[in-house]
Amino acid sequence: MELSVKAAVNPTEDPNKVKAAVLNLVDMELTLVEENGQSYIVGSSQSISALSPLRKLIGKAGIARLAREVLRSSVVGDTIEIKLHKQAAFAGAVSFVSQDGESPMGPIIITITAADPGKVIDWIVPPPKRLDGLHR
């Protein structure tokens, strides 16, 4: 599994606050880089446990069903790409972004490449428990 995260740091933003927002979603080493005059906070990992903060926030917020739907709809081949609202992440909340304009300061982009994206989704958001063969 390969996991990467990227978040633009706009001229009006404090890079440390953007880093803090990203760290509320992932547990990995982050670096400030420059690409074509734009600053970004970036990081990568090969461990699914790097997604533990996101997993915990989803559980705490009670949005498992929505998160599963968003994650499943974000699969293309062996890759999952999700965008999250940067300001919500800074506040310790999860808010998925479907269009870049929904996050005025730009989204946090998490890209996961795995042989079986479904297993990754099941780890981030465990499937609902079955009761007598029915979903709750």
Side-chain angles (χ1 to χ4, degrees):
M1 186 198 85
E2 188 67 36
L3 165 65
S4 66
V5 65
K6 184 175 186 178
V9 179
N10 297 302
T12 58
E13 292 180 299
D14 177 348
N16 290 321
K17 288 185 178 180
V18 175
K19 184 177 183 179
V22 174
L23 287 172
N24 281 339
L25 301 173
V26 295
D27 181 16
M28 65 177 65
E29 291 295 318
L30 300 173
T31 308
L32 180 64
V33 298
E34 296 281 330
E35 290 178 13
N36 301 321
Q38 172 67 54
S39 297
Y40 294 94
I41 296 290
V42 299
S44 65
S45 176
Q46 294 182 340
S47 173
I48 197 166
S49 66
L51 295 167
S52 291
L54 176 62
R55 181 184 192 196
K56 289 176 187 170
L57 287 175
I58 289 170
K60 183 175 137 188
I63 58 168
R65 175 180 250 156
L66 169 68
R68 282 185 69 79
E69 288 175 19
V70 170
L71 288 165
R72 280 189 279 195
S73 68
S74 301
V75 176
V76 177
D78 63 354
T79 301
I80 305 166
E81 182 179 278
I82 54 172
K83 297 179 181 182
L84 297 128
H85 196 285
K86 193 188 304 178
Q87 292 162 306
F90 183 73
V94 174
S95 179
F96 293 99
V97 174
S98 58
Q99 298 175 3
D100 289 346
E102 292 176 11
S103 183
M105 304 306 281
I108 296 170
I109 302 168
I110 297 176
T111 306
I112 306 158
T113 303
D116 186 347
K119 284 186 179 178
V120 175
I121 293 169
D122 286 348
W123 185 86
I124 297 170
V125 186
K129 292 187 186 334
R130 291 179 180 248
L131 184 61
D132 295 326
L134 302 173
H135 289 289
R136 287 200 258 169

